[in-house]
Every structure is written in structure tokens, then in C-alpha cells.
Amino acid sequence: MLVLHEGETAQALKWAELIDAIERMFRSSCVMPVRHHHDVAVPGEANATLLLMPAWVPGDYIGVKLVSVFPDNHLRGLPAIFGSYILSSGKTGKMLAVVDGGELTARRTAATSALAAKYLAREDASDLLVVGTGRLSLNLIQAHSAVRPIGRISIWGRNPANAEKTAEDARALGFAVSVSTDLESAVRTADIISCATLSHEPLVHGAWLKPGAHLDLIGAFKPTMRESDDEAVRRASVFVDTRAGAMSEAGDILQPLKAGIITEADIRADLFDLAVARHAGRTSAEEITLFKSVGAALEDLAGAILAYETAMEPFARQEA
């Protein structure tokens, strides 16, 4: 059985190949049951959560991501979240690989946003703003640069020091990145605004979005959280990764729905529709587009398969 740790997982998931793999998976016959959430008692501490995200392509591969969230791990100097992905044969059930869950999740999340941008951002989009300074920020820079001619990149965060650190890391990878301290001004000039935060209140205001802008929302993952205001949803053509996920978890969609700002019919398409050309995506240079992602198990499966097959290539060549 193959075991891919964090660095090996990253090495096996090149951006262009990962974006293509996720696109193919959205076109496939992948089966994706609803994810499982289980409360786990931890005596004397806050309850933990066990999440299971299964998916399979009949006769091909079966996979499940296992994620544990232990909120009080900071008391013992450990991360709150641990995750692994188990990939098995869809023909025999034989376990094939264990893939680092954190790296897989981060990279597939950014790659999915880039896939959406391929359909929804202007083809000449060159000015990228990343809102948030967490783990995903570097991945978003790399992923969006794989699908659009990004030339100017800025980063905004609540803590300017964290933003500068992220910018330094991006520069070390060869990207020209600056730190923005004025979010409104940065949004007003950006072609793509990619938000990866844990905000409970809107950060990006619809009035700031210029004609032709693409707003990518991936951070807020609960109905009580949001990164955009009602005006952003009102002005934009709205797209989601999956309708089921958006209608159960995405505060950026659920809150304006509840307020009557939009209806379910205002969600133009999801990535299934875009991938199979049931919807064309962006329809004009002036259109403002909004993409809300909450994550889908098929994205993890696509990444795990790619990582496994890429890592096994040298052995296949030796046998040949």
C-alpha cells in the first residue's frame, strides 16, 4: 500500500493536472453520498467531530476522507484538525493508498476555485486579490495563475503582518505580490477576488465590484458565516460547486435566500452544469460573476486518484 505524506502529496498534485482531473470527475459517473458528521465525546473537554466524506466511480476507485476536529487540542500543542484520505480499488476493494488529507484538501479546494474561474472569470483577467492569509492563500495564487494570465497579485488580511508573511512566501515562489491595507480599494480594481476566511460578517461589498469582476468565495463554510453582502449576490450571476452543498451549508447563499434577496432559481449553474456545457458560464465582458464553494467529496477523490497514479508512474515504467 502506498503512503503519501504532505510533501509527497503536494509533489504529485501539479496544478494544471489537478484542475483537469477535477473537471473530468464532475463529468463522470461519480457517486457522492452526503457527508457524515458525528459528535465524539472527549471526557473533560469540548466534544470532537468526526467527518467522513465518501465517493466512488463504479468499477474504478473508491475513496473516503476521514477528518477529526478536536477543538481543545491547542491545550496540548496539537493542531485541531487531522485528516487522511483512503483510496481503494473499485473492482476488488483492495486498499491502494493513504494520502495526506490536509494537503489534498487545500490543493483540491484551490483547484476547484480555479476550475470555476476558467468558466467564469474574464479570459484577460490579470489582477488577483486574495482575501485571507491562511494556508489556502498561497494555493489560490498558484491555482488561479494556472488558468488566467495573472500579473498583479495583492493580499489583504486583518493582520497586516500575516499578510506580509504570506506575500513573502509567494514572492519566494516567483510571484509578484503586494500587501493591501485598504480592502475596498483593492476590490474595486481586482479582476478576481478570492476569499478564504472564517468571517461571520461580510467583507466584500457588492458596491465595490467593478463590471467584469469575478468573486470567488470559499472560506465561510457554515450557514452563519459569510464573506459577501446582499448587494454582491444581487448584482452578480451566482454559481456554486454543488447545489446540495450550497443549499445546506453556504451562508453567502442561504442568508440572502432567507431575506428574499434571491431565489433558488437565481443560482445559474453548478460545476456539474459547467463541466458538461449545460451552461456556458460567463456570457459577457461586463457580467459580474460569483462562485460559492463548500467542497465536495468527488474533488477529494479526483485528487487522490491523481496523486496515486502519479506516484505509481515510475513503478509502472519499470515493469514495462
Side-chain angles (χ1 to χ4, degrees), residues 98-109:
V98 177
V99 182
D100 182 82
E103 188 65 21
L104 172 63
T105 301
R107 294 179 84 85
R108 66 81 157 153
T109 301

Side-chain angles (χ1 to χ4, degrees), residues 184 187-188 204-210 229-232 235:
E184 178 180 348
V187 170
R188 286 186 180 277
V204 175
H205 294 244
W208 302 346
L209 299 170
K210 71 179 184 180
D229 69 353
D230 289 344
E231 184 64 14
R235 292 187 67 197

Side-chain angles (χ1 to χ4, degrees), residues 138 141-143 145-146 150 153 167 169-178:
L138 283 176
I141 290 171
Q142 296 172 83
S145 295
I150 304 298
I153 303 167
D169 292 342
R171 293 177 196 126
L173 295 174
F175 295 96
V177 181
S178 62

Side-chain angles (χ1 to χ4, degrees), residues 198-315:
L198 299 177
S199 180
H200 283 78
E201 301 295 334
L203 294 171
V204 175
H205 294 244
W208 302 346
L209 299 170
K210 71 179 184 180
H214 172 59
L215 178 58
D216 173 43
L217 305 173
I218 62 177
F221 59 91
K222 295 181 180 178
T224 56
M225 304 168 75
R226 66 188 305 186
E227 297 175 304
S228 64
D229 69 353
D230 289 344
E231 184 64 14
V233 176
R234 183 186 291 112
R235 292 187 67 197
S237 298
V238 177
F239 300 83
V240 297
D241 57 347
T242 67
R243 291 180 185 272
M247 295 306 297
S248 63
E249 300 179 24
D252 285 284
I253 304 297
L254 293 174
Q255 291 185 38
L257 274 171
K258 184 177 181 180
I261 305 300
I262 59 171
T263 67
E264 287 190 42
D266 290 315
I267 300 175
R268 303 292 180 89
D270 59 16
L271 278 178
F272 292 103
D273 299 321
L274 294 171
V276 299
R278 282 197 293 261
H279 192 286
R282 172 175 289 272
T283 57
S284 74
E286 300 298 298
E287 183 180 14
I288 296 172
T289 54
L290 182 154
F291 174 69
K292 176 57 189 170
S293 173
V294 296
L298 68 80
E299 300 159 10
D300 294 301
L301 179 60
I305 293 170
L306 176 63
Y308 170 71
E309 293 183 346
T310 299
M312 293 300 293
E313 279 179 7
F315 302 102

Side-chain angles (χ1 to χ4, degrees), residues 16-311:
E17 289 85 351
L18 179 56
I19 293 165
D20 288 345
I22 293 172
E23 184 174 40
R24 289 194 301 272
M25 192 61 76
F26 270 102
R27 293 173 179 160
S28 76
S29 57
C30 183
V31 179
M32 187 172 58
V34 175
R35 69 184 74 182
H36 302 255
H37 294 73
H38 300 281
D39 283 335
V40 179
V42 183
E45 299 182 15
N47 281 0
T49 302
L50 176 65
L51 297 93
L52 297 89
M53 297 176 63
W56 58 87
V57 176
D60 195 4
Y61 289 100
I62 300 172
V64 60
K65 186 166 72 174
L66 305 173
V67 179
S68 63
V69 183
F70 282 69
D72 285 343
N73 266 0
H74 67 280
L75 300 174
R76 53 185 67 90
L78 292 173
I81 300 174
F82 289 97
S84 296
Y85 197 92
I86 300 174
L87 183 69
S88 302
S89 167
K91 294 180 180 178
T92 67
K94 178 183 177 181
M95 189 180 295
L96 302 173
V98 177
V99 182
D100 182 82
E103 188 65 21
L104 172 63
T105 301
R107 294 179 84 85
R108 66 81 157 153
T109 301
T112 300
S113 282
L115 173 60
K118 189 173 83 167
Y119 295 109
L120 302 176
R122 286 174 52 134
E123 290 190 6
D124 61 353
S126 60
D127 189 321
L128 170 67
L129 168 64
V130 175
V131 179
T133 60
R135 177 176 187 168
L136 273 173
S137 55
L138 283 176
N139 288 337
L140 289 166
I141 290 171
Q142 296 172 83
H144 282 293
S145 295
V147 298
R148 285 296 181 265
I150 304 298
R152 182 176 182 272
I153 303 167
S154 57
I155 297 175
W156 178 90
R158 296 183 190 276
N159 186 323
N162 290 344
E164 182 56 45
K165 176 61 170 63
T166 301
E168 290 176 3
D169 292 342
R171 293 177 196 126
L173 295 174
F175 295 96
V177 181
S178 62
V179 171
S180 175
T181 56
D182 185 340
L183 181 57
E184 178 180 348
S185 295
V187 170
R188 286 186 180 277
T189 60
D191 299 318
I192 299 174
I193 304 101
S194 190
C195 300
T197 75
L198 299 177
S199 180
H200 283 78
E201 301 295 334
L203 294 171
V204 175
H205 294 244
W208 302 346
L209 299 170
K210 71 179 184 180
H214 172 59
L215 178 58
D216 173 43
L217 305 173
I218 62 177
F221 59 91
K222 295 181 180 178
T224 56
M225 304 168 75
R226 66 188 305 186
E227 297 175 304
S228 64
D229 69 353
D230 289 344
E231 184 64 14
V233 176
R234 183 186 291 112
R235 292 187 67 197
S237 298
V238 177
F239 300 83
V240 297
D241 57 347
T242 67
R243 291 180 185 272
M247 295 306 297
S248 63
E249 300 179 24
D252 285 284
I253 304 297
L254 293 174
Q255 291 185 38
L257 274 171
K258 184 177 181 180
I261 305 300
I262 59 171
T263 67
E264 287 190 42
D266 290 315
I267 300 175
R268 303 292 180 89
D270 59 16
L271 278 178
F272 292 103
D273 299 321
L274 294 171
V276 299
R278 282 197 293 261
H279 192 286
R282 172 175 289 272
T283 57
S284 74
E286 300 298 298
E287 183 180 14
I288 296 172
T289 54
L290 182 154
F291 174 69
K292 176 57 189 170
S293 173
V294 296
L298 68 80
E299 300 159 10
D300 294 301
L301 179 60
I305 293 170
L306 176 63
Y308 170 71
E309 293 183 346
T310 299

